[in-house]
């Protein structure tokens, strides 16, 4: 597909930001014109080429776009990003793509063809960042490796997102986030003690890697301010998820300790679990702080347990989780969820309802934070999706538009690059578009 289906002047057209999703402080939310009214957004002026597919790399590009970077999504002309076909669709339009493709202009290029290679190098010369997730050596085979890209633009930052990194014995293996969840130790820790390891039902490792890749890109851009030169960000998806697991390598190194699966319980404190209420719903309780643990036990009518020697440490409480779960669980089971939440709040103890997406969308705290926003979409009409990750008081981010149709901005972007209609037609004839 090529050409732009959005009518001129459409407020959702790329390049014409709307105030939808503006993550300002509460007093700024009604500022006319949204995030650009008070000046350039935080990452305004940055140009990012998103060559990646599926989740980790594209997510990193989305996060940069949320705060004003111009993101150009480059897809194969005949094989679009597979995320367009992942999960439920409405009227043939993939909804996951609407989220992952937000704030991106969509073009097509076949990078394996001479015209596609030449056009990509021209785009790279105008860009600050390229994000890719091909297997190591693929860009080099197309004549688009770091040497070629940095020659076209010495200030370029190239983020390379792969399952296993750019070197090592596994580097050339195919891989996805699921493998990282298994290899990192995450799955070994997740699930009930006597049950199989559990994989998450969503792209956890990819999401963590996407967040980390955005951080890596911004770190490299900060270094460029001092050195004037770009560099490569080598992101292996198997690494960030290992980092967020905490001190497990250090525990093993120093003590030979290997944490086992504990279900919803924590090996470090108790009570910590999910508990069923009288009306058949569930709540989660956490007592990482000693003072909170004491409040919970007083609330449920078992203050004597707080006097036991083992109660004085999180590890001691974890060793007596059966006793504590029985005390808390019995009290909660006799009350409705509303009663439990009200009592915990009055006692200043930490509790939360176990919510599905229906509850999330109705939750008053999420609504107050505007964590889910609505944007107009030319294909689907008003569309709800997660807002940008955090609020900046002076240079807020915004969801300016949802994912665009495949190749929707090809002609516009290439025309801005300086290609003539005849040159664009020749690329299309070659099969490069």
């Amino acid at each position: 597909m090529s050409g732009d289906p959005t009518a001129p002047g459409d407020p959702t057209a790329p390049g014409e930001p709307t105030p939808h999703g503006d993550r300002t402080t509460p007093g700024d939310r009604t500022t006319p014109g949204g995030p650009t009214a008070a000046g350039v957004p935080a990452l305004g002026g940055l140009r990012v080429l998103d060559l990646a597919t599926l989740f980790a790399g594209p997510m990193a590009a989305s996060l940069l776009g949320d705060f004003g970077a111009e993101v150009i999504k480059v897809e194969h002309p005949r094989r679009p990003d597979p995320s367009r076909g992942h999960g439920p669709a409405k009227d043939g339009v993939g909804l996951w793509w609407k989220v992952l493709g937000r704030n991106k202009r969509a073009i097509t290029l076949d990078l394996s063809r001479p015209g596609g290679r030449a056009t990509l190098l021209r785009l790279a010369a105008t860009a600050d960042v390229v994000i890719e997730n091909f297997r190591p050596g693929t860009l080099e085979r197309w004549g688009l490796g770091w040497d070629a890209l940095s020659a076209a633009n010495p200030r370029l930052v190239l983020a390379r997102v792969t399952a296993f990194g750019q070197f090592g014995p596994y580097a050339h293996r195919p891989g996805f986030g699921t493998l990282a969840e298994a290899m990192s130790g995450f799955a070994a820790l997740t699930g009930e003690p006597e049950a199989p390891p559990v994989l998450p039902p969503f792209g956890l490792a990819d999401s963590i890697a996407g967040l980390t890749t955005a951080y890596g890109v911004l770190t490299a851009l900060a270094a460029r301010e001092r050195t004037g030169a770009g560099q490569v960000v080598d992101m292996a998806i198997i690494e960030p998820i290992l980092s967020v697991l905490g001190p497990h390598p250090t525990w093993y190194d120093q003590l030979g300790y290997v944490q086992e699966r504990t279900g919803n319980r924590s090996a470090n404190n108790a009570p910590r679990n999910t508990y069923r209420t009288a009306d058949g719903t569930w709540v989660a309780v956490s007592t990482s702080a000693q003072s909170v643990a004491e409040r919970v036990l007083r609330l449920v009518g078992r203050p004597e347990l707080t006097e036991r020697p083992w109660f004085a440490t999180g590890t001691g409480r974890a060793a007596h989780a059966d006793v504590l779960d029985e005390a808390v669980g019995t009290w909660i089971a006799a009350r409705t969820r509303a009663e439990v939440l009200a009592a915990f709040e009055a006692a200043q103890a930490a509790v939360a309802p176990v919510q599905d997406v229906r509850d999330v969308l109705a939750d008053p705290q999420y609504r107050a934070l505007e964590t889910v926003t609505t944007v107009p979409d030319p294909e689907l009409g008003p569309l709800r999706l997660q807002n940008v990750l955090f609020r900046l008081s002076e240079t807020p981010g915004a969801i300016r538009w949802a994912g665009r149709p495949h190749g929707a901005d090809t002609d516009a972007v290439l025309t801005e690059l300086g290609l003539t209609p005849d040159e664009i037609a020749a690329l299309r004839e070659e099969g490069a578009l």
Side-chain angles (χ1 to χ4, degrees), residues 1 75-80 107-111 113 406 431-433:
M1 297 172 66
E75 297 175 86
H76 193 282
R78 293 162 291 280
R79 295 190 298 277
I107 74 168
T108 61
L109 278 179
D110 185 343
L111 304 181
R113 296 179 185 265
H406 182 226
L433 300 184

mmCIF file of all heavy atoms in Angstrom, residues 1 75-80 107-111 113 406 431-433:
data_model
loop_
_atom_site.group_PDB
_atom_site.id
_atom_site.type_symbol
_atom_site.label_atom_id
_atom_site.label_comp_id
_atom_site.label_asym_id
_atom_site.label_seq_id
_atom_site.Cartn_x
_atom_site.Cartn_y
_atom_site.Cartn_z
ATOM 1 N N MET A 1 0.841 -1.189 0.000
ATOM 2 C CA MET A 1 0.000 0.000 0.000
ATOM 3 C C MET A 1 0.873 1.235 0.000
ATOM 4 O O MET A 1 1.922 1.283 0.606
ATOM 5 C CB MET A 1 -0.898 0.006 1.246
ATOM 6 C CG MET A 1 -1.864 -1.160 1.303
ATOM 7 S SD MET A 1 -2.726 -1.226 2.874
ATOM 8 C CE MET A 1 -3.678 0.292 2.772
ATOM 9 N N GLU A 75 8.651 -0.579 6.759
ATOM 10 C CA GLU A 75 8.209 -1.969 6.643
ATOM 11 C C GLU A 75 8.479 -2.494 5.237
ATOM 12 O O GLU A 75 8.569 -1.740 4.266
ATOM 13 C CB GLU A 75 6.716 -2.070 6.941
ATOM 14 C CG GLU A 75 6.341 -1.671 8.361
ATOM 15 C CD GLU A 75 4.834 -1.686 8.560
ATOM 16 O OE1 GLU A 75 4.282 -2.760 8.864
ATOM 17 O OE2 GLU A 75 4.212 -0.615 8.399
ATOM 18 N N HIS A 76 8.580 -3.807 5.132
ATOM 19 C CA HIS A 76 8.728 -4.438 3.821
ATOM 20 C C HIS A 76 7.454 -4.219 3.013
ATOM 21 O O HIS A 76 6.348 -4.292 3.558
ATOM 22 C CB HIS A 76 8.994 -5.933 4.002
ATOM 23 C CG HIS A 76 9.458 -6.624 2.766
ATOM 24 N ND1 HIS A 76 8.600 -6.991 1.745
ATOM 25 C CD2 HIS A 76 10.706 -7.009 2.375
ATOM 26 C CE1 HIS A 76 9.288 -7.588 0.783
ATOM 27 N NE2 HIS A 76 10.574 -7.606 1.145
ATOM 28 N N PRO A 77 7.575 -3.946 1.715
ATOM 29 C CA PRO A 77 6.368 -3.648 0.921
ATOM 30 C C PRO A 77 5.359 -4.788 0.893
ATOM 31 O O PRO A 77 4.151 -4.547 0.814
ATOM 32 C CB PRO A 77 6.922 -3.378 -0.491
ATOM 33 C CG PRO A 77 8.356 -3.028 -0.291
ATOM 34 C CD PRO A 77 8.813 -3.780 0.922
ATOM 35 N N ARG A 78 5.864 -6.010 0.945
ATOM 36 C CA ARG A 78 4.953 -7.158 0.802
ATOM 37 C C ARG A 78 4.835 -7.990 2.088
ATOM 38 O O ARG A 78 4.008 -8.896 2.155
ATOM 39 C CB ARG A 78 5.447 -8.049 -0.355
ATOM 40 C CG ARG A 78 5.313 -7.340 -1.713
ATOM 41 C CD ARG A 78 6.162 -7.954 -2.805
ATOM 42 N NE ARG A 78 7.593 -7.752 -2.583
ATOM 43 C CZ ARG A 78 8.235 -6.611 -2.866
ATOM 44 N NH1 ARG A 78 7.569 -5.567 -3.355
ATOM 45 N NH2 ARG A 78 9.536 -6.509 -2.657
ATOM 46 N N ARG A 79 5.650 -7.690 3.080
ATOM 47 C CA ARG A 79 5.588 -8.410 4.356
ATOM 48 C C ARG A 79 5.570 -7.387 5.483
ATOM 49 O O ARG A 79 6.618 -7.044 6.045
ATOM 50 C CB ARG A 79 6.769 -9.372 4.500
ATOM 51 C CG ARG A 79 6.775 -10.501 3.473
ATOM 52 C CD ARG A 79 7.827 -11.544 3.808
ATOM 53 N NE ARG A 79 9.173 -10.998 3.794
ATOM 54 C CZ ARG A 79 9.909 -10.847 2.693
ATOM 55 N NH1 ARG A 79 9.413 -11.200 1.517
ATOM 56 N NH2 ARG A 79 11.131 -10.347 2.762
ATOM 57 N N PRO A 80 4.406 -6.865 5.843
ATOM 58 C CA PRO A 80 4.321 -5.843 6.889
ATOM 59 C C PRO A 80 4.771 -6.390 8.244
ATOM 60 O O PRO A 80 4.928 -7.607 8.425
ATOM 61 C CB PRO A 80 2.834 -5.478 6.911
ATOM 62 C CG PRO A 80 2.266 -6.013 5.640
ATOM 63 C CD PRO A 80 3.088 -7.185 5.263
ATOM 64 N N ILE A 107 6.086 3.933 6.161
ATOM 65 C CA ILE A 107 6.545 3.849 4.778
ATOM 66 C C ILE A 107 6.981 2.417 4.494
ATOM 67 O O ILE A 107 7.167 1.612 5.404
ATOM 68 C CB ILE A 107 7.699 4.827 4.479
ATOM 69 C CG1 ILE A 107 9.019 4.342 5.106
ATOM 70 C CG2 ILE A 107 7.372 6.224 4.968
ATOM 71 C CD1 ILE A 107 10.239 5.110 4.615
ATOM 72 N N THR A 108 7.149 2.111 3.211
ATOM 73 C CA THR A 108 7.639 0.793 2.812
ATOM 74 C C THR A 108 8.952 0.936 2.053
ATOM 75 O O THR A 108 9.133 1.876 1.269
ATOM 76 C CB THR A 108 6.618 0.058 1.921
ATOM 77 O OG1 THR A 108 6.390 0.820 0.723
ATOM 78 C CG2 THR A 108 5.301 -0.138 2.654
ATOM 79 N N LEU A 109 9.864 0.008 2.332
ATOM 80 C CA LEU A 109 11.127 -0.099 1.606
ATOM 81 C C LEU A 109 11.580 -1.550 1.661
ATOM 82 O O LEU A 109 11.581 -2.160 2.731
ATOM 83 C CB LEU A 109 12.226 0.762 2.239
ATOM 84 C CG LEU A 109 12.307 2.253 1.932
ATOM 85 C CD1 LEU A 109 13.481 2.874 2.700
ATOM 86 C CD2 LEU A 109 12.475 2.495 0.439
ATOM 87 N N ASP A 110 11.993 -2.084 0.532
ATOM 88 C CA ASP A 110 12.650 -3.393 0.503
ATOM 89 C C ASP A 110 14.149 -3.140 0.573
ATOM 90 O O ASP A 110 14.773 -2.742 -0.409
ATOM 91 C CB ASP A 110 12.272 -4.143 -0.775
ATOM 92 C CG ASP A 110 12.833 -5.559 -0.798
ATOM 93 O OD1 ASP A 110 13.759 -5.854 -0.009
ATOM 94 O OD2 ASP A 110 12.353 -6.372 -1.612
ATOM 95 N N LEU A 111 14.723 -3.346 1.745
ATOM 96 C CA LEU A 111 16.122 -2.997 1.963
ATOM 97 C C LEU A 111 17.081 -3.918 1.241
ATOM 98 O O LEU A 111 18.273 -3.592 1.124
ATOM 99 C CB LEU A 111 16.427 -3.002 3.467
ATOM 100 C CG LEU A 111 15.540 -2.096 4.324
ATOM 101 C CD1 LEU A 111 15.962 -2.179 5.797
ATOM 102 C CD2 LEU A 111 15.599 -0.662 3.838
ATOM 103 N N ARG A 113 16.897 -4.601 -1.907
ATOM 104 C CA ARG A 113 17.016 -4.140 -3.292
ATOM 105 C C ARG A 113 17.891 -2.885 -3.348
ATOM 106 O O ARG A 113 17.914 -2.089 -2.401
ATOM 107 C CB ARG A 113 15.639 -3.855 -3.880
ATOM 108 C CG ARG A 113 14.768 -5.111 -3.976
ATOM 109 C CD ARG A 113 13.399 -4.806 -4.544
ATOM 110 N NE ARG A 113 12.546 -5.980 -4.532
ATOM 111 C CZ ARG A 113 12.385 -6.821 -5.564
ATOM 112 N NH1 ARG A 113 13.040 -6.593 -6.696
ATOM 113 N NH2 ARG A 113 11.582 -7.854 -5.459
ATOM 114 N N HIS A 406 -0.464 0.384 6.412
ATOM 115 C CA HIS A 406 0.806 -0.040 5.829
ATOM 116 C C HIS A 406 1.189 0.865 4.656
ATOM 117 O O HIS A 406 0.450 1.002 3.692
ATOM 118 C CB HIS A 406 0.671 -1.493 5.343
ATOM 119 C CG HIS A 406 1.902 -2.077 4.774
ATOM 120 N ND1 HIS A 406 1.907 -2.790 3.595
ATOM 121 C CD2 HIS A 406 3.187 -2.081 5.220
ATOM 122 C CE1 HIS A 406 3.133 -3.212 3.343
ATOM 123 N NE2 HIS A 406 3.926 -2.796 4.318
ATOM 124 N N GLY A 431 10.270 -2.599 -7.263
ATOM 125 C CA GLY A 431 9.803 -3.419 -6.156
ATOM 126 C C GLY A 431 10.396 -3.017 -4.834
ATOM 127 O O GLY A 431 10.247 -3.705 -3.832
ATOM 128 N N ALA A 432 11.093 -1.862 -4.813
ATOM 129 C CA ALA A 432 11.723 -1.381 -3.581
ATOM 130 C C ALA A 432 10.714 -0.703 -2.661
ATOM 131 O O ALA A 432 11.012 -0.472 -1.485
ATOM 132 C CB ALA A 432 12.856 -0.413 -3.909
ATOM 133 N N LEU A 433 9.539 -0.347 -3.172
ATOM 134 C CA LEU A 433 8.489 0.280 -2.357
ATOM 135 C C LEU A 433 7.258 -0.640 -2.302
ATOM 136 O O LEU A 433 6.951 -1.315 -3.282
ATOM 137 C CB LEU A 433 8.081 1.644 -2.927
ATOM 138 C CG LEU A 433 9.148 2.706 -3.040
ATOM 139 C CD1 LEU A 433 8.514 3.993 -3.538
ATOM 140 C CD2 LEU A 433 9.818 2.929 -1.707
#
